[in-house]
Structure formats: C-alpha cells, structure tokens
Amino acid sequence: MSGLAVLFHQDGRPADESAVQKMLAAIPYRGPDGTCVKSFGALVLGFAKMAVTPEDDLEQQPVTSSRSGCTIIADARLDNRDELLSRLSAGLEPTSGDAELILHAYDAWGLDALARLLGDFAFMIWDPRQQRMICARDTSGQRGLFYRADRRSFAAASEIHQLLQDPSVPIVPNEECIRDSLVPLNMFQNDKDQAATFFEGILALPAGHALVVDREMLRVWRYWELRPPRELRYRHDEEYAEHYRTLFYQVVRSRLRSSRPVGALLSGGLDSSSVVCAAQELYRLGSAKYHGFISLSSVFSGLDCDERPLISDIQAKYGFSARLLSCGKLGGRLQPEPRGFMEAPNMGVNEVRNIVFGAATEARVRAILTGDVADACVGGSRLVFDSLLRRGQVRSFWQHLTKYDSLSEEPLRKTLVFHVLAPLLPLAAQKRLMTGYTRRVIGGYGRRLLPPWMPGGLRDDLSQRHLQLWLALECKRRFSSPSRESEYRLLYPPEVARHPVPWPIQIWRPFADRRLHEFLLAIPPEQKFAPHPVSDEFYAGSKLLVRRALRGIVPDSILTRTSKVHFGSASVNEVQRQWPLYEAVFGPSARSEIARRGYVDQDRFWQRLLDVRAGDDGVDVVYVTQMVGLETWLRTLLLPRARLTMVPSAGDGFLSPITGFAS
C-alpha cells in the first residue's frame, strides 16, 4: 500500500517538485520506507514506499525501462506473476518487483497490457516517446486513484486530500453525489465505485478503467469488464464444491505473499472465518510461506452482536494468535468538532478502526485479510426457478417455489410471471417486460422507502432518482437469470475500497477477486442457495456452496449457523452513550448542518433520534446512521483549510509530515 502522486503541466511549464512533495507529505502512513520524487520537466512523479511483499522490499521506484525510457510508479500486488514472468522473460528475474513487471508488460503490449494484469493495483506510467501519462486501476477497485484536471494542468494521487494540498484548488461539496448517496437503491447497499466523489472537481478513476493524458487531451475508458461467462455444469454437487475450494485456496494464497506477519479481521461469520481457515490450511500444507499470523476481532460485551464463542472455536482449531478488542464503549460517528479530512460521510467509527489497526501495527502487520464482498459474491438468491426448470429439476423447482411463496408477500401470479416465466424469455423481451414493470411499480414504491423526517421536496427528488437508476439497470441487463443478474449488480461496479487512514495497512479482500466472480456467475445459481429445512431466514439457506466446500475446514458451529449477526443494537447503544452530543447537535435549540442544507426536517429528525434512544432500531436506522455521518463530514468543511486537508492521527494530534525526499 504505497502512495502515488503526479503533476503534469500540459502547457509545457516546468512542474514544481515541491508541489508533489507536499502531496506525499500528506500521506506519511503510506511511506514508512521512504519517498522519492523525480522530475521530467513539465511532469513530476512522486512515490511513497510501503513494502509488503518480498519483491516490494527489493524494488526501488520509480522504475525506468532501459528499452523504452518509460517510467512507472505503482501501488500494486500482481497475482499472475508467474504467467507474466514466463511471457516477459527478457530482463526479468523471479524477484523482479510488480512495478517492473507492469512496465515490461507495457513495453511489450502497450495499452493492451492492462487487461492481462491480475491483482490489486493503481499505477502511473510516463511515456516520453509520446509525451503522455497513462494511469490505470485494477478491475475490482482495490487501490485508489483520484485526479483533477483543467486546460493547463493534470494532477493525480492515491488519496483525495493529496490533491487539496494546492491552495488554489477549491474545496466544495458535491451536492449531486450527496443526493445520489441517499437514494434508496444506493442506501441499502455498500457504496459503489464510481467517478464522482463528494468533492466537486475531484474525480476517481473507476475500477477497470484507464486514463491517458497528453498535451492535447484527456481520455478515460474501460479496459475490462466481466462479461457473462459460459455456463459451467458438473454431474455432482461435490464437483462444484471441490472446484470452489481449489479456486478459493488459490485466491487466498495470492494474498499471503507477505514478508511480514499477515493479519485478518475475524468475526464469527462465515465470510471472514472462511478466509482465516483457508489461510491456516495453506500454511499447514506448506503452500504459503509463514511469517506470522494474527487475527483481530471486535467484541461487544453485553450486546447481542458479540461473537466471541464462535471466534474461540476457530482459534481453538488452528491455534493462531488471536486478539479480542473491546469496542462496545467507544465513541461513534458523530463528531461535533472533526479533527481533519474525511473522504466521505460514511467512514465508520474512527475509534473502532484505530483500535483494530493500531493492534495490527503493533504486531508488525502491513496486510490484513477480510471477508468483505462475500455477501455479493457467494450469498446466492432465492430466485433460481428458471435454472431448475431448464435443468428439468421439477421436484426441486416445486420445493423452492412453495417455500418462496410461503415467505413472500407478493401474489403467486406475480411470482410466476416475473420470476419464473420472464427469465425464460429472450433477453430483449425480458428487458422490455421488466422496464415496464419498473415504471409501474418501482416508480411509486421508492418514496415509501424514504423516511418521513426528510423534507418532501427531497423525498420527491430521491424517489425520481431511485426510479431512473432502476430503469438504467434494466436497460443494461446482462443475464436472463434474475439470480445471476442480481449477483452481477452487487459485484460490478465493485464496492468502494477505502484505505484505513491513518494506518500503514493494506486491506486484502479475497472475495473481490475476479477469478471467483467468473466461476460463481458460471455455475447454476441453485448451487449457492437452497431452502433450509428448519429455518426460514435467508442466511440459513445462503452460501450453500461455501458450506459444502469447507466442511472439516471451518468449524461446524459456523458452517451450520442459520442467522446473521445484526448491529442494530450497537447503533442504539452508540446513540445512548453519545446522547449529550446528539442533543447539542440535533436538539430543539440546535441547528445542524444537515438541517441547514435541507437534508432533514429538524423537529422530525430529533423525534426519530429520541425513538432510537428508546430502543427503536427500525428499518430507517440505516438512514439515521448515514445522516449522522453526513453531519460530521459537512462539519469538516467548516475547518480551517490547514486542518481540513490533513488526516488526523489516531491520537490527539496530526500525523507528522514526511520531511526527507530522494530525487
């Protein structure tokens, strides 16, 4: 997890090295192993090094090609190194760094090299032959890259606040982005990777996209997207499980390539448990080099979201070092006086993050595995009727349909038309049918998903945006299968992968690997979900393939869980503990930023907070939490610029800037 920065004056003016040095100084946690700035006249590259892999330890960036004269800086972990080394053997060694591999690939294949790279990466290449800068991000958006541009200059960096070090750059909230984040379709899923940011004029290079800028123009294009794969069918269920297990081990093994101890965020859920148990099996088999391993778990004493017994089952099975970190009595999302820069409103609870990543840093961990993205990746769907009919499994079809009808509030006729018959139509006909349904039903339903404590005009606007987003999705429908289509929409665009500032930690998400996505979209959807014989909860029947594949690897107490932990009690607890702050910011005599800007009705929102304090964690508690985060974020914009553009440390002060630069 290194840091990147570039400044390019397209009009030919010499670029100022000190401007790039300031951009690097804003991210000291990304450069514990040193920094380097290199000038090319109108362009300056800056690199902050944080070594994680053995190859990182040896590589010195920027790297310049002796063949082409091109220079690269990269924040990267390539997972197909062996393949690239075999095809680009000239001038490379088995210990060559990932940046050097990318540069050799560009020398050999030009822009076609981008689609041949597998892993997590963001990089910048200066090509002096064509006087152009190439920037690219990996297909799952695991490494960030932001930029700003005008007619004279282009600047890009790993994080937004690096671009704000230039005092001439205005800091203005992106109201369109804020409103889009409040649309029901977006609210009830994790943030999606996109070009827009919450700062006007600052753009993100989207996942799977590349950018070329020269003296004449700036062009952004998609270089890769997941296309509907050819359907994969086996004779027996165990063959799917074996294929998944082999592939999952391969994906996890790619993320154990560290020259330091590896950490893992571990709960009692199936997702993080799968990752941790797979890692332990790989170590046991000698398939990955062991440099130490530690799990980090947030525990909530006295709350129903505490999963300590299940965590203990995993630790007892494998015997690794485990840290249980108490997070039940910490502060929350509301910060009346924020201490510094925040990339977005929904950044979570700082104190929880600081405790977890602080413990990881003390253990010399620089890479942490998580189970993020698994719900979208392996969760499955109840809507598998069309697949069962196509395979002639009438008995299973009837079992699925009967169970679904007993749980659903929609009429059986509607289920048969839209979830059974429509998926059997040609895709073009299905698009027309679903578009008409969306206009009739979703258009009127969106407003009912919005809380009544929002102003009426805002609710109308968000309802209309909700409808337009649904219509756009239907126009882009790729699969006739509703389960495959919903899974694809959950996976792409990918979830935003934000860096855990201010810690020198890289988050590695095995379930974000596109190899898993391609396999899971190719297999019959009924392999991922089947009605549970006892429980009606969706979770009980979901992740069926994972449960089969990891028998004997993940403890049975986790594999057989029928319900998922919910953190509504933690949200209520947070409001109760911080009540004096809530009253000061949102109470009858206060005037909050979200009320002043028209996002809430002050009196109604205050009444809703009173209800939350009393224990009412209804469905709109998601919106309540989002609004509290938005209040904190809007208050950061009121800070003096010197504070607003710097990330606060985990303690009371700000991070010490980097003071030494190599050229």
Side-chain angles (χ1 to χ4, degrees), residues 113 313 348 471 481 558:
D313 288 347
L471 290 172
S481 163
I558 294 168

Side-chain angles (χ1 to χ4, degrees), residues 181 186 189-193 198 344 346 494-498 626:
S181 73
N186 294 330
Q189 63 181 4
N190 292 332
D191 285 356
K192 289 289 195 175
D193 189 275
F198 286 92
N346 50 347
E495 296 177 6
V496 171
R498 293 194 173 98
Q626 176 74 2

